[in-house]
Amino acid sequence: MKSNLPLRTIDANINRFKEGIRVVEDILRYEFNSTLAKELKNLRHIKLPDYEEIISKRDSLNDILKPSTKSEQKRNSIKDLIISNLKRAQESARVLEEAYKLIDINTSEKFKNARYKLYNIEKQILELIQNI
């Protein structure tokens, strides 16, 4: 791959995407016994081209925004936890969609589709948990 590609951006957002989904997936699986967990699990398994090269550009020790903000350190409910992690995954999907336009349009489209699936799943989850 070319050296001027946003590989650190891709790496960070792959992690955010998968981590955000995993938090919600586990809550749906263990707290609600919801089959929506399986849909989220499937989204976490998007195949990525050149993943080892992407990881080779990782520099998490020197990430200037690594420290958490006060708002990131507090959640008031399971609902807040779910919403914040869904938003994290949706935003990351958008970044990945754009970044992969420079590398692989098929992967870009996979993340675009994943983002729209997350929007739909979010609506279903909020209907499921509305009374908590």
Side-chain angles (χ1 to χ4, degrees):
M1 273 191 209
K2 298 177 190 173
S3 62
N4 64 342
L5 295 174
L7 299 182
R8 282 188 63 205
T9 299
I10 289 171
D11 178 52
N13 280 280
I14 288 168
N15 293 334
R16 282 189 196 117
F17 177 79
K18 289 177 178 262
E19 291 162 0
I21 289 173
R22 186 57 185 244
V23 170
V24 179
E25 176 189 329
D26 280 357
I27 291 170
L28 291 175
R29 177 181 180 185
Y30 297 117
E31 303 303 324
F32 295 95
N33 237 10
S34 173
T35 57
L36 290 169
K38 188 171 187 172
E39 289 185 52
L40 290 171
K41 181 179 180 178
N42 290 336
L43 282 177
R44 277 192 304 107
H45 292 281
I46 292 175
K47 182 153 174 46
L48 301 167
D50 302 312
Y51 189 60
E52 289 178 16
E53 184 174 358
I54 291 166
I55 289 177
S56 75
K57 304 301 181 193
R58 184 175 292 166
D59 189 14
S60 54
L61 295 177
N62 294 309
D63 184 344
I64 61 170
L65 294 179
K66 185 169 45 174
S68 297
T69 64
K70 292 287 183 194
S71 66
E72 291 172 322
Q73 293 176 333
K74 184 165 174 50
R75 301 289 184 251
N76 295 316
S77 65
I78 288 178
K79 187 176 184 178
D80 284 353
L81 191 64
I82 289 170
I83 290 170
S84 63
N85 278 280
L86 283 170
K87 292 301 175 198
R88 179 182 204 204
Q90 292 163 355
E91 292 166 0
S92 296
R94 179 59 181 193
V95 173
L96 291 164
E97 174 190 341
E98 292 298 321
Y100 269 107
K101 287 178 181 177
L102 298 171
I103 299 169
D104 179 54
I105 195 63
N106 291 325
T107 303
S108 172
E109 286 295 311
K110 286 178 187 177
F111 281 107
K112 178 180 179 181
N113 292 334
R115 183 167 51 90
Y116 280 96
K117 283 181 186 174
L118 283 168
Y119 293 152
N120 187 51
I121 290 171
E122 178 181 37
K123 181 179 178 184
Q124 293 174 61
I125 290 170
L126 292 177
E127 290 169 358
L128 173 72
I129 66 170
Q130 68 184 340
N131 294 324
I132 65 164

